[in-house]
Coordinates of all heavy atoms in Angstrom, one line a residue:
M5 N -20.6 16.9 -2.3 CA -19.3 17.2 -1.6 C -18.4 16.0 -1.6 O -18.9 14.8 -1.4 CB -19.7 17.4 -0.1 CG -20.0 18.8 0.3 SD -18.6 20.0 -0.1 CE -19.1 21.3 0.9
S6 N -17.2 16.2 -1.9 CA -16.2 15.1 -2.0 C -15.1 15.5 -1.1 O -14.7 16.6 -1.0 CB -15.8 14.7 -3.3 OG -14.9 15.8 -3.9
Y7 N -14.5 14.5 -0.5 CA -13.3 14.7 0.4 C -12.2 13.8 -0.1 O -12.1 12.6 0.3 CB -13.7 14.3 1.9 CG -14.8 15.1 2.4 CD1 -16.1 14.8 2.4 CD2 -14.5 16.3 3.0 CE1 -17.1 15.5 2.8 CE2 -15.5 17.1 3.6 CZ -16.9 16.7 3.4 OH -17.9 17.5 4.0
P8 N -11.4 14.2 -1.0 CA -10.5 13.4 -1.7 C -9.5 12.7 -0.7 O -9.2 11.5 -1.0 CB -9.7 14.4 -2.6 CG -10.6 15.6 -2.7 CD -11.4 15.7 -1.5
I9 N -9.1 13.4 0.3 CA -8.1 12.7 1.1 C -8.7 11.5 1.8 O -8.2 10.5 2.0 CB -7.5 13.7 2.1 CG1 -6.6 14.6 1.3 CG2 -6.6 13.1 3.2 CD1 -6.1 15.9 2.1
D10 N -10.0 11.8 2.4 CA -10.7 10.7 3.0 C -11.0 9.6 2.2 O -10.9 8.4 2.5 CB -12.1 11.2 3.6 CG -11.8 12.1 4.8 OD1 -10.6 12.2 5.3 OD2 -12.8 12.8 5.3
D11 N -11.3 9.8 0.8 CA -11.6 8.8 -0.1 C -10.3 8.0 -0.3 O -10.3 6.8 -0.4 CB -12.0 9.4 -1.5 CG -13.4 10.0 -1.4 OD1 -14.1 9.7 -0.3 OD2 -13.8 10.6 -2.4
A12 N -9.2 8.6 -0.5 CA -7.9 7.9 -0.6 C -7.6 7.1 0.6 O -7.2 5.9 0.4 CB -6.8 8.8 -0.9
D13 N -7.8 7.6 1.8 CA -7.6 6.7 3.0 C -8.6 5.6 3.0 O -8.1 4.4 3.4 CB -7.9 7.7 4.2 CG -6.8 8.5 4.5 OD1 -5.7 8.6 3.8 OD2 -7.0 9.5 5.4
Q14 N -9.7 5.8 2.6 CA -10.7 4.7 2.6 C -10.3 3.7 1.6 O -10.4 2.4 1.8 CB -12.1 5.2 2.3 CG -13.3 4.3 2.4 CD -13.3 3.6 3.8 OE1 -13.3 4.3 4.8 NE2 -13.3 2.3 3.9
L15 N -9.9 4.1 0.4 CA -9.4 3.1 -0.6 C -8.3 2.3 -0.1 O -8.2 1.0 -0.2 CB -8.9 3.9 -1.9 CG -10.0 4.3 -2.9 CD1 -9.3 5.1 -4.0 CD2 -10.5 3.1 -3.5
I16 N -7.3 2.9 0.5 CA -6.1 2.2 1.1 C -6.6 1.2 2.1 O -6.2 0.1 2.3 CB -5.1 3.2 1.7 CG1 -4.4 3.9 0.4 CG2 -4.1 2.5 2.5 CD1 -3.6 5.2 0.9
A17 N -7.5 1.7 3.1 CA -8.0 0.9 4.1 C -8.7 -0.5 3.6 O -8.5 -1.6 4.0 CB -9.0 1.6 5.0
T18 N -9.5 -0.1 2.5 CA -10.2 -1.3 1.9 C -9.2 -2.3 1.3 O -9.4 -3.5 1.4 CB -11.2 -0.9 0.9 OG1 -12.1 0.1 1.5 CG2 -12.0 -1.9 0.3
A19 N -8.3 -1.7 0.6 CA -7.3 -2.5 -0.1 C -6.5 -3.4 0.9 O -6.1 -4.5 0.7 CB -6.3 -1.7 -1.0
E20 N -6.1 -2.7 2.0 CA -5.4 -3.5 3.2 C -6.2 -4.6 3.7 O -5.7 -5.6 4.0 CB -5.1 -2.4 4.2 CG -3.9 -1.5 3.9 CD -2.5 -2.2 4.1 OE1 -2.4 -3.4 4.5 OE2 -1.5 -1.5 3.8
E21 N -7.5 -4.3 3.8 CA -8.4 -5.4 4.3 C -8.5 -6.5 3.4 O -8.5 -7.7 3.8 CB -9.7 -4.7 4.6 CG -10.6 -5.5 5.5 CD -11.8 -4.6 5.9 OE1 -11.8 -3.4 6.2 OE2 -12.9 -5.1 5.7
E22 N -8.7 -6.2 2.1 CA -8.9 -7.3 1.1 C -7.6 -8.0 0.8 O -7.6 -9.2 0.5 CB -9.4 -6.7 -0.2 CG -10.8 -6.2 0.0 CD -11.4 -5.6 -1.3 OE1 -10.6 -5.3 -2.3 OE2 -12.6 -5.3 -1.4
M23 N -6.5 -7.3 0.8 CA -5.2 -7.9 0.5 C -4.2 -7.6 1.7 O -3.4 -6.7 1.6 CB -4.7 -7.4 -0.8 CG -5.4 -7.7 -2.0 SD -5.1 -9.5 -2.5 CE -3.3 -9.6 -2.8
P24 N -4.4 -8.3 2.9 CA -3.5 -8.0 4.0 C -2.1 -8.4 3.6 O -1.9 -9.2 2.7 CB -4.1 -8.7 5.0 CG -4.9 -9.8 4.4 CD -5.3 -9.2 3.2
P25 N -1.1 -7.9 4.4 CA 0.4 -8.2 4.1 C 0.5 -9.7 4.0 O 1.4 -10.1 3.1 CB 1.0 -7.6 5.3 CG 0.2 -6.5 5.7 CD -1.2 -6.9 5.5
S26 N -0.1 -10.5 4.9 CA 0.2 -11.9 4.7 C -0.3 -12.5 3.4 O 0.4 -13.4 2.8 CB -0.6 -12.7 5.9 OG -1.9 -12.5 5.8
T27 N -1.5 -12.1 2.9 CA -1.9 -12.5 1.6 C -1.0 -12.0 0.5 O -0.8 -12.7 -0.4 CB -3.4 -12.0 1.4 OG1 -4.1 -12.4 2.5 CG2 -4.0 -12.5 0.1
R28 N -0.6 -10.8 0.5 CA 0.3 -10.2 -0.4 C 1.7 -11.0 -0.5 O 2.1 -11.3 -1.6 CB 0.6 -8.8 -0.1 CG -0.7 -7.9 0.0 CD -0.4 -6.5 -0.3 NE 0.3 -5.7 0.6 CZ -0.2 -5.0 1.7 NH1 -1.4 -4.9 1.9 NH2 0.7 -4.3 2.5
S29 N 2.2 -11.3 0.7 CA 3.4 -12.1 0.5 C 3.3 -13.6 0.1 O 4.1 -14.1 -0.6 CB 4.2 -12.0 1.9 OG 3.5 -12.6 3.0
R30 N 2.1 -14.2 0.5 CA 1.9 -15.5 -0.1 C 1.6 -15.5 -1.6 O 2.0 -16.4 -2.3 CB 0.7 -16.1 0.7 CG 1.0 -16.6 2.0 CD -0.3 -16.8 3.0 NE -1.1 -17.8 2.6 CZ -2.3 -18.0 2.8 NH1 -2.9 -17.1 3.5 NH2 -3.0 -19.1 2.5
L31 N 1.0 -14.5 -2.0 CA 0.8 -14.3 -3.5 C 2.1 -14.2 -4.2 O 2.3 -14.9 -5.2 CB -0.1 -13.1 -3.8 CG -0.4 -12.9 -5.3 CD1 -1.6 -13.8 -5.7 CD2 -0.7 -11.5 -5.6
I32 N 3.0 -13.3 -3.7 CA 4.2 -13.1 -4.4 C 5.1 -14.5 -4.3 O 5.7 -14.8 -5.3 CB 5.0 -11.9 -3.6 CG1 4.2 -10.6 -3.8 CG2 6.5 -11.9 -4.2 CD1 4.2 -10.0 -5.3
A33 N 5.0 -15.2 -3.2 CA 5.8 -16.4 -3.1 C 5.2 -17.4 -4.1 O 5.9 -18.1 -4.8 CB 5.5 -17.0 -1.6
K34 N 3.9 -17.5 -4.4 CA 3.3 -18.3 -5.3 C 3.7 -18.1 -6.8 O 4.2 -18.9 -7.5 CB 1.8 -18.4 -5.3 CG 1.2 -19.1 -4.1 CD -0.3 -19.0 -4.1 CE -0.9 -19.6 -2.8 NZ -0.8 -21.1 -2.8
L35 N 3.8 -16.8 -7.1 CA 4.2 -16.3 -8.4 C 5.7 -16.7 -8.6 O 6.1 -17.1 -9.8 CB 4.0 -14.8 -8.5 CG 2.6 -14.2 -8.4 CD1 2.6 -12.7 -8.6 CD2 1.7 -14.8 -9.5
R36 N 6.5 -16.6 -7.5 CA 7.9 -17.0 -7.7 C 8.0 -18.4 -7.9 O 9.1 -18.9 -8.4 CB 8.7 -16.5 -6.5 CG 8.8 -14.9 -6.5 CD 9.8 -14.4 -5.4 NE 9.9 -13.0 -5.6 CZ 10.0 -12.2 -4.5 NH1 10.0 -12.6 -3.3 NH2 10.1 -10.8 -4.8
M37 N 7.1 -19.2 -7.5 CA 7.1 -20.7 -7.8 C 6.6 -21.0 -9.1 O 6.5 -22.2 -9.4 CB 6.3 -21.5 -6.6 CG 7.0 -21.6 -5.3 SD 5.9 -21.8 -3.9 CE 4.7 -22.9 -4.7
G38 N 6.2 -19.9 -9.9 CA 5.7 -20.2 -11.2 C 4.2 -20.5 -11.3 O 3.7 -20.8 -12.4
V39 N 3.4 -20.2 -10.2 CA 2.0 -20.3 -10.3 C 1.4 -19.0 -11.0 O 1.9 -17.9 -10.9 CB 1.4 -20.3 -8.8 CG1 0.0 -20.5 -9.0 CG2 2.0 -21.5 -8.2
H40 N 0.5 -19.3 -11.9 CA -0.1 -18.2 -12.7 C -0.9 -17.3 -11.7 O -1.5 -17.8 -10.8 CB -1.1 -18.6 -13.8 CG -1.5 -17.5 -14.7 ND1 -2.6 -16.8 -14.4 CD2 -1.0 -17.2 -15.9 CE1 -2.7 -15.9 -15.4 NE2 -1.7 -16.1 -16.3
I41 N -0.9 -15.9 -12.0 CA -1.5 -15.1 -11.0 C -3.1 -15.3 -10.8 O -3.5 -15.2 -9.7 CB -1.3 -13.6 -11.4 CG1 -1.9 -12.6 -10.2 CG2 -1.8 -13.2 -12.8 CD1 -1.3 -11.3 -10.2
D42 N -3.8 -15.7 -11.9 CA -5.2 -16.1 -11.8 C -5.3 -17.3 -10.7 O -6.1 -17.2 -9.9 CB -5.8 -16.6 -13.0 CG -6.0 -15.4 -13.9 OD1 -5.6 -14.3 -13.6 OD2 -6.4 -15.6 -15.2
D43 N -4.4 -18.3 -10.9 CA -4.6 -19.4 -10.0 C -4.0 -19.1 -8.6 O -4.7 -19.5 -7.6 CB -3.7 -20.7 -10.5 CG -4.1 -20.9 -12.0 OD1 -5.3 -20.9 -12.3 OD2 -3.2 -21.3 -12.8
A44 N -3.0 -18.3 -8.5 CA -2.5 -17.9 -7.2 C -3.5 -17.1 -6.5 O -3.7 -17.4 -5.2 CB -1.2 -17.1 -7.4
A45 N -4.2 -16.2 -7.2 CA -5.2 -15.4 -6.5 C -6.3 -16.2 -6.0 O -6.8 -16.1 -4.8 CB -5.7 -14.3 -7.5
R46 N -6.8 -17.1 -6.9 CA -8.0 -18.0 -6.4 C -7.6 -18.9 -5.2 O -8.4 -19.0 -4.4 CB -8.4 -18.9 -7.6 CG -9.4 -18.0 -8.5 CD -10.1 -18.8 -9.5 NE -10.6 -17.8 -10.5 CZ -10.1 -17.6 -11.6 NH1 -9.0 -18.2 -12.0 NH2 -10.6 -16.5 -12.4
E47 N -6.4 -19.4 -5.2 CA -6.0 -20.2 -4.1 C -6.1 -19.4 -2.8 O -6.1 -20.0 -1.7 CB -4.5 -20.7 -4.3 CG -4.6 -21.9 -5.3 CD -3.1 -22.3 -5.8 OE1 -2.2 -22.1 -4.9 OE2 -2.9 -22.9 -6.9
L48 N -5.8 -18.1 -2.9 CA -5.9 -17.2 -1.7 C -7.2 -16.6 -1.4 O -7.4 -15.8 -0.6 CB -4.8 -16.2 -1.8 CG -3.3 -16.6 -1.9 CD1 -2.4 -15.6 -2.3 CD2 -3.0 -17.2 -0.5
G49 N -8.2 -17.0 -2.3 CA -9.5 -16.5 -2.0 C -9.9 -15.2 -2.6 O -10.8 -14.5 -2.1
V50 N -9.0 -14.6 -3.4 CA -9.3 -13.3 -4.0 C -9.3 -13.4 -5.5 O -8.8 -14.3 -6.1 CB -8.3 -12.2 -3.6 CG1 -8.3 -12.0 -2.1 CG2 -6.9 -12.7 -4.0
S51 N -10.0 -12.4 -6.1 CA -10.0 -12.5 -7.6 C -8.8 -11.7 -8.1 O -8.3 -10.9 -7.5 CB -11.3 -11.8 -8.1 OG -11.2 -10.4 -7.8
P52 N -8.4 -12.1 -9.4 CA -7.2 -11.4 -9.9 C -7.5 -9.8 -10.0 O -6.7 -9.1 -9.9 CB -7.1 -12.0 -11.3 CG -7.8 -13.4 -11.2 CD -8.8 -13.1 -10.2
Q53 N -8.7 -9.6 -10.4 CA -9.1 -8.1 -10.5 C -8.8 -7.4 -9.2 O -8.3 -6.2 -9.2 CB -10.6 -8.0 -10.9 CG -10.9 -8.3 -12.3 CD -11.2 -9.9 -12.4 OE1 -11.0 -10.7 -11.4 NE2 -11.6 -10.3 -13.6
R54 N -9.2 -8.0 -8.1 CA -8.9 -7.4 -6.8 C -7.5 -7.2 -6.5 O -7.0 -6.3 -5.9 CB -9.6 -8.4 -5.7 CG -10.0 -7.6 -4.5 CD -11.0 -8.5 -3.7 NE -12.3 -8.1 -4.0 CZ -13.4 -8.4 -3.3 NH1 -13.2 -9.3 -2.2 NH2 -14.6 -8.2 -3.6
V55 N -6.6 -8.3 -7.0 CA -5.2 -8.1 -6.7 C -4.7 -6.9 -7.5 O -3.9 -6.1 -6.9 CB -4.5 -9.4 -7.3 CG1 -3.0 -9.3 -7.3 CG2 -4.9 -10.7 -6.4
F56 N -5.1 -6.8 -8.7 CA -4.7 -5.7 -9.5 C -5.1 -4.3 -9.0 O -4.4 -3.4 -9.0 CB -4.9 -5.8 -11.0 CG -3.9 -6.8 -11.6 CD1 -4.4 -7.9 -12.1 CD2 -2.6 -6.6 -11.6 CE1 -3.6 -8.9 -12.7 CE2 -1.8 -7.6 -12.2 CZ -2.3 -8.8 -12.7
S57 N -6.3 -4.3 -8.5 CA -6.8 -3.0 -7.9 C -6.1 -2.7 -6.6 O -5.8 -1.5 -6.3 CB -8.3 -3.0 -7.8 OG -8.8 -3.8 -6.7
A58 N -5.8 -3.7 -5.8 CA -5.0 -3.4 -4.5 C -3.6 -3.0 -5.0 O -3.1 -2.1 -4.3 CB -4.9 -4.7 -3.8
A59 N -3.0 -3.6 -6.1 CA -1.7 -3.2 -6.5 C -1.6 -1.7 -7.0 O -0.6 -1.0 -6.8 CB -1.2 -4.1 -7.6
R60 N -2.8 -1.2 -7.5 CA -2.8 0.3 -8.0 C -2.8 1.1 -6.7 O -2.2 2.2 -6.8 CB -4.0 0.5 -8.8 CG -3.7 0.1 -10.3 CD -4.9 0.6 -11.2 NE -6.2 0.3 -10.8 CZ -6.8 -0.9 -11.2 NH1 -6.2 -1.7 -12.1 NH2 -8.0 -1.1 -10.9
I61 N -3.4 0.6 -5.6 CA -3.6 1.5 -4.5 C -2.5 1.4 -3.5 O -2.0 2.4 -3.0 CB -5.0 1.1 -3.8 CG1 -6.1 1.4 -4.8 CG2 -5.1 1.9 -2.5 CD1 -7.4 0.6 -4.4
L62 N -1.9 0.2 -3.3 CA -0.9 0.0 -2.5 C 0.4 0.0 -3.3 O 0.8 -1.1 -3.7 CB -1.0 -1.3 -1.6 CG -2.4 -1.5 -1.0 CD1 -2.5 -3.0 -0.5 CD2 -2.5 -0.5 0.2
S63 N 1.0 1.1 -3.4 CA 2.1 1.2 -4.4 C 3.3 0.3 -4.2 O 3.8 -0.3 -5.2 CB 2.5 2.7 -4.5 OG 2.8 3.2 -3.3
A64 N 3.7 0.0 -2.9 CA 4.9 -0.8 -2.7 C 4.5 -2.3 -3.2 O 5.4 -2.9 -3.8 CB 5.2 -0.8 -1.2
F65 N 3.3 -2.6 -2.9 CA 2.9 -4.0 -3.4 C 2.7 -4.0 -4.9 O 3.2 -5.0 -5.6 CB 1.5 -4.3 -2.8 CG 0.9 -5.6 -3.4 CD1 1.5 -6.8 -3.3 CD2 -0.4 -5.5 -4.0 CE1 0.9 -7.9 -3.8 CE2 -1.0 -6.6 -4.5 CZ -0.3 -7.8 -4.5
G66 N 2.2 -3.0 -5.4 CA 2.2 -2.9 -6.9 C 3.5 -3.0 -7.7 O 3.7 -3.7 -8.6
F67 N 4.6 -2.3 -7.0 CA 5.9 -2.4 -7.6 C 6.4 -3.8 -7.4 O 7.0 -4.3 -8.4 CB 6.7 -1.4 -6.8 CG 8.1 -1.3 -7.3 CD1 8.4 -0.5 -8.4 CD2 9.2 -2.0 -6.7 CE1 9.8 -0.4 -8.9 CE2 10.5 -1.9 -7.2 CZ 10.8 -1.0 -8.3
Q68 N 6.2 -4.4 -6.3 CA 6.6 -5.8 -6.0 C 6.0 -6.7 -7.1 O 6.6 -7.7 -7.6 CB 6.4 -6.2 -4.6 CG 7.1 -7.5 -4.2 CD 6.8 -7.9 -2.8 OE1 5.8 -7.5 -2.3 NE2 7.7 -8.6 -2.2
L69 N 4.8 -6.5 -7.2 CA 3.9 -7.4 -8.1 C 4.4 -7.3 -9.5 O 4.7 -8.3 -10.2 CB 2.4 -7.1 -8.0 CG 1.5 -8.0 -8.8 CD1 1.4 -9.4 -8.3 CD2 0.1 -7.3 -8.8
D70 N 4.6 -6.2 -10.0 CA 5.1 -5.9 -11.4 C 6.4 -6.6 -11.5 O 6.8 -7.1 -12.6 CB 5.1 -4.5 -11.8 CG 3.7 -3.9 -12.1 OD1 2.7 -4.8 -12.2 OD2 3.5 -2.7 -12.2
A71 N 7.3 -6.3 -10.5 CA 8.7 -6.8 -10.7 C 8.7 -8.3 -10.8 O 9.4 -8.9 -11.5 CB 9.5 -6.3 -9.4
T72 N 7.8 -9.0 -9.9 CA 7.7 -10.5 -9.9 C 7.1 -11.0 -11.2 O 7.6 -12.0 -11.8 CB 6.9 -10.8 -8.8 OG1 7.4 -10.3 -7.5 CG2 6.9 -12.4 -8.6
L73 N 6.1 -10.4 -11.7 CA 5.4 -10.7 -13.0 C 6.3 -10.7 -14.1 O 6.4 -11.4 -15.0 CB 4.1 -10.0 -13.2 CG 3.0 -10.4 -12.3 CD1 1.9 -9.2 -12.4 CD2 2.4 -11.7 -12.6
T74 N 7.2 -9.6 -14.1 CA 8.2 -9.4 -15.1 C 9.3 -10.4 -15.0 O 9.7 -11.0 -16.1 CB 8.8 -7.9 -15.1 OG1 7.8 -7.0 -15.2 CG2 9.8 -7.7 -16.2
A75 N 9.8 -10.8 -13.9 CA 10.8 -11.7 -13.6 C 10.4 -13.2 -14.1 O 11.1 -13.9 -14.5 CB 11.3 -11.7 -12.2
E76 N 9.1 -13.4 -13.8 CA 8.6 -14.8 -14.1 C 8.0 -15.0 -15.5 O 7.5 -16.1 -15.7 CB 7.6 -15.1 -12.9 CG 8.1 -15.2 -11.5 CD 9.2 -16.2 -11.4 OE1 9.0 -17.3 -12.0 OE2 10.1 -16.0 -10.5
R77 N 7.8 -13.9 -16.2 CA 7.1 -14.0 -17.4 C 7.9 -14.9 -18.5 O 9.1 -15.2 -18.4 CB 6.8 -12.6 -18.0 CG 8.0 -11.9 -18.6 CD 7.8 -10.6 -19.0 NE 9.0 -9.9 -19.8 CZ 9.0 -8.7 -20.1 NH1 7.9 -8.0 -20.1 NH2 10.0 -8.2 -20.7
D78 N 7.1 -15.5 -19.4 CA 7.6 -16.4 -20.4 C 8.4 -15.6 -21.5 O 7.8 -14.8 -22.2 CB 6.4 -17.1 -21.1 CG 6.8 -18.2 -22.1 OD1 8.0 -18.1 -22.5 OD2 6.0 -19.0 -22.5
P79 N 9.7 -15.9 -21.5 CA 10.4 -15.0 -22.6 C 10.2 -15.3 -24.0 O 10.5 -14.4 -24.8 CB 12.0 -15.5 -22.2 CG 11.8 -16.8 -21.6 CD 10.5 -16.9 -20.8
H80 N 9.3 -16.4 -24.2 CA 9.0 -16.6 -25.6 C 7.7 -15.9 -26.1 O 7.5 -15.9 -27.3 CB 8.8 -18.2 -25.9 CG 10.0 -19.0 -25.5 ND1 10.1 -19.6 -24.3 CD2 11.1 -19.0 -26.2 CE1 11.3 -20.2 -24.3 NE2 12.0 -19.9 -25.4
L81 N 7.1 -15.2 -25.3 CA 5.9 -14.4 -25.6 C 6.2 -13.1 -26.1 O 7.2 -12.5 -25.7 CB 4.9 -14.3 -24.4 CG 4.2 -15.6 -24.0 CD1 3.3 -15.4 -22.8 CD2 3.4 -16.3 -25.1
P82 N 5.4 -12.5 -27.0 CA 5.6 -11.1 -27.5 C 5.0 -10.1 -26.4 O 3.8 -9.8 -26.5 CB 4.9 -11.1 -28.9 CG 3.8 -12.1 -28.7 CD 4.2 -13.1 -27.7
H83 N 5.9 -9.6 -25.5 CA 5.4 -8.9 -24.4 C 5.0 -7.5 -25.0 O 5.6 -7.0 -25.9 CB 6.3 -8.8 -23.2 CG 6.6 -10.2 -22.7 ND1 5.6 -10.8 -21.8 CD2 7.5 -11.1 -22.8 CE1 6.0 -12.1 -21.5 NE2 7.1 -12.2 -22.1
G84 N 4.0 -6.8 -24.2 CA 3.7 -5.5 -24.7 C 2.7 -5.6 -25.9 O 2.5 -4.6 -26.5
T85 N 2.1 -6.8 -26.1 CA 1.0 -6.9 -27.1 C -0.1 -7.6 -26.5 O -0.1 -8.3 -25.5 CB 1.6 -7.8 -28.2 OG1 1.8 -9.1 -27.7 CG2 2.9 -7.3 -28.8
V86 N -1.3 -7.4 -27.2 CA -2.5 -8.1 -26.8 C -2.3 -9.6 -26.9 O -2.9 -10.4 -26.0 CB -3.7 -7.6 -27.6 CG1 -5.0 -8.4 -27.2 CG2 -3.9 -6.1 -27.2
T87 N -1.5 -10.0 -27.9 CA -1.2 -11.6 -28.0 C -0.8 -12.1 -26.7 O -1.0 -13.1 -26.2 CB -0.2 -11.7 -29.2 OG1 -0.8 -11.1 -30.3 CG2 0.0 -13.2 -29.4
G88 N 0.3 -11.3 -26.2 CA 0.9 -11.8 -24.9 C -0.2 -11.9 -23.8 O -0.3 -12.8 -23.1
Y89 N -1.0 -10.9 -23.7 CA -2.1 -10.9 -22.7 C -3.0 -12.0 -23.0 O -3.4 -12.7 -22.0 CB -2.8 -9.5 -22.8 CG -3.7 -9.3 -21.6 CD1 -3.3 -8.7 -20.5 CD2 -5.1 -9.9 -21.6 CE1 -4.2 -8.6 -19.4 CE2 -5.9 -9.8 -20.6 CZ -5.5 -9.1 -19.4 OH -6.3 -9.0 -18.4
N90 N -3.4 -12.2 -24.2 CA -4.3 -13.4 -24.5 C -3.6 -14.8 -24.1 O -4.4 -15.7 -23.9 CB -4.7 -13.3 -26.0 CG -5.7 -12.2 -26.2 OD1 -6.4 -11.7 -25.3 ND2 -5.9 -11.8 -27.4
K91 N -2.4 -14.8 -24.2 CA -1.7 -16.0 -23.8 C -1.5 -16.1 -22.3 O -0.5 -16.7 -21.8 CB -0.4 -16.2 -24.6 CG -0.7 -16.5 -26.0 CD 0.6 -16.9 -26.8 CE 0.4 -17.1 -28.3 NZ -0.4 -18.1 -28.6
R92 N -2.2 -15.3 -21.5 CA -2.3 -15.3 -20.1 C -1.1 -14.5 -19.4 O -0.9 -14.7 -18.2 CB -2.5 -16.6 -19.5 CG -3.8 -17.4 -19.8 CD -3.9 -18.7 -19.1 NE -4.5 -18.4 -17.8 CZ -4.3 -19.3 -16.7 NH1 -3.4 -20.4 -16.9 NH2 -4.9 -19.1 -15.6
C93 N -0.4 -13.8 -20.2 CA 0.7 -13.1 -19.5 C 0.2 -11.8 -18.9 O -0.7 -11.2 -19.5 CB 1.8 -12.7 -20.5 SG 3.2 -11.8 -19.7
R94 N 0.6 -11.6 -17.6 CA 0.0 -10.4 -16.9 C 1.1 -9.5 -16.5 O 1.1 -8.8 -15.5 CB -0.8 -10.9 -15.7 CG -2.1 -11.7 -16.0 CD -3.1 -10.9 -16.7 NE -4.2 -11.6 -17.2 CZ -4.4 -12.3 -18.3 NH1 -3.5 -12.2 -19.2 NH2 -5.5 -12.9 -18.5
C95 N 2.2 -9.5 -17.2 CA 3.3 -8.6 -17.0 C 2.8 -7.3 -17.2 O 1.9 -7.1 -17.9 CB 4.6 -9.0 -17.7 SG 4.6 -8.4 -19.4
P96 N 3.5 -6.1 -16.7 CA 3.0 -4.8 -16.8 C 2.8 -4.4 -18.3 O 2.0 -3.6 -18.7 CB 4.1 -3.9 -16.1 CG 4.8 -4.8 -15.2 CD 4.7 -6.3 -15.7
E97 N 3.8 -4.8 -19.1 CA 3.8 -4.4 -20.6 C 2.5 -5.0 -21.3 O 1.9 -4.3 -22.1 CB 5.1 -4.9 -21.3 CG 6.3 -4.1 -20.8 CD 7.6 -4.7 -21.2 OE1 7.5 -5.3 -22.4 OE2 8.5 -4.7 -20.6
C98 N 2.2 -6.3 -21.0 CA 1.0 -6.9 -21.7 C -0.3 -6.3 -21.1 O -1.1 -6.1 -21.9 CB 1.0 -8.4 -21.4 SG 2.4 -9.2 -22.3
R99 N -0.2 -6.0 -19.9 CA -1.5 -5.3 -19.3 C -1.6 -3.9 -19.8 O -2.7 -3.5 -20.2 CB -1.3 -5.2 -17.8 CG -1.8 -6.5 -17.1 CD -1.4 -6.8 -15.7 NE -1.3 -5.6 -14.9 CZ -0.2 -5.3 -14.1 NH1 0.8 -6.1 -14.1 NH2 -0.1 -4.2 -13.4
A100 N -0.5 -3.2 -20.2 CA -0.5 -1.9 -20.7 C -1.1 -1.9 -22.2 O -1.9 -1.1 -22.6 CB 0.7 -1.2 -20.7
A101 N -0.7 -3.1 -22.8 CA -1.1 -3.2 -24.2 C -2.6 -3.5 -24.3 O -3.2 -2.8 -25.1 CB -0.4 -4.5 -24.9
L102 N -3.1 -4.2 -23.4 CA -4.6 -4.3 -23.3 C -5.3 -2.9 -23.0 O -6.3 -2.6 -23.7 CB -4.9 -5.4 -22.3 CG -6.4 -5.8 -22.3 CD1 -6.6 -6.8 -23.5 CD2 -6.9 -6.3 -21.1
Q103 N -4.8 -2.2 -22.1 CA -5.3 -1.0 -21.7 C -5.3 -0.1 -23.0 O -6.4 0.6 -23.2 CB -4.5 -0.2 -20.7 CG -4.6 -1.0 -19.3 CD -5.9 -1.0 -18.7 OE1 -6.7 -0.1 -18.9 NE2 -6.2 -2.2 -18.0
R104 N -4.3 0.0 -23.8 CA -4.3 0.8 -25.0 C -5.3 0.4 -25.9 O -5.9 1.2 -26.7 CB -2.8 0.7 -25.6 CG -1.7 1.5 -25.0 CD -0.6 1.7 -25.9 NE 0.1 0.4 -26.3 CZ 0.9 -0.2 -25.5 NH1 1.4 0.3 -24.5 NH2 1.5 -1.3 -25.9
R105 N -5.6 -0.9 -26.1 CA -6.7 -1.4 -27.0 C -8.0 -0.9 -26.5 O -8.9 -0.7 -27.4 CB -6.6 -2.9 -27.0 CG -5.8 -3.4 -28.3 CD -6.7 -3.8 -29.4 NE -7.5 -5.0 -29.2 CZ -7.2 -6.3 -29.7 NH1 -6.3 -6.4 -30.5 NH2 -8.1 -7.3 -29.5
I106 N -8.3 -0.9 -25.2 CA -9.6 -0.6 -24.7 C -9.9 0.9 -24.8 O -9.6 1.7 -25.2 CB -9.8 -1.1 -23.3 CG1 -9.8 -2.6 -23.3 CG2 -11.0 -0.5 -22.8 CD1 -9.7 -3.1 -21.9
Ligands
ZN7 ZN1 3.9 -10.1 -20.9

């Protein structure tokens, strides 16, 4: 038996617990200061994987995170490629490139 709505509620509750609004806004502030997401997440005591899974579940945060990562990305990198990802870019296009490869 599965209860999709309850599962979704539970996912959101867990994401809210792991990445509360204060952590989310501190993360975005760090990214805007030019801190890499891996470093920013670690400084806040969460793993980057957890940040991205929270971003998928909490859509407003996901939108803000993608917008910030896009605004702060290095214009010299080839975005939307695995090369960009391997050079530590985590903008939505580079993350999508990696997903396509897997
Ligand atoms: Zn990129």
Side-chain angles (χ1 to χ4, degrees):
M5 273 299 201
S6 70
Y7 299 93
I9 292 168
D10 287 353
D11 286 353
D13 285 350
Q14 187 57 51
L15 274 177
I16 291 168
T18 304
E20 284 279 0
E21 201 173 300
E22 290 177 350
M23 290 288 297
S26 61
T27 304
R28 302 202 295 263
S29 58
R30 282 162 70 201
L31 181 85
I32 297 292
K34 282 178 187 294
L35 296 179
R36 288 191 178 141
M37 281 161 38
V39 179
H40 190 272
I41 186 157
D42 287 357
D43 303 325
R46 276 192 195 101
E47 285 170 24
L48 293 169
V50 294
S51 68
Q53 289 83 355
R54 202 163 271 192
V55 172
F56 285 118
S57 74
R60 278 194 299 274
I61 296 159
L62 307 170
S63 53
F65 171 59
F67 184 80
Q68 189 182 29
L69 182 67
D70 281 351
T72 307
L73 288 169
T74 301
E76 297 296 329
R77 70 186 184 181
D78 182 344
H80 300 105
L81 290 178
H83 297 287
T85 68
V86 175
T87 305
Y89 191 92
N90 287 340
K91 291 191 185 290
R92 295 187 88 209
C93 184
R94 294 296 178 268
C95 80
E97 291 169 33
C98 290
R99 275 157 40 223
L102 188 79
Q103 295 297 325
R104 282 197 298 274
R105 259 263 289 253
I106 293 172

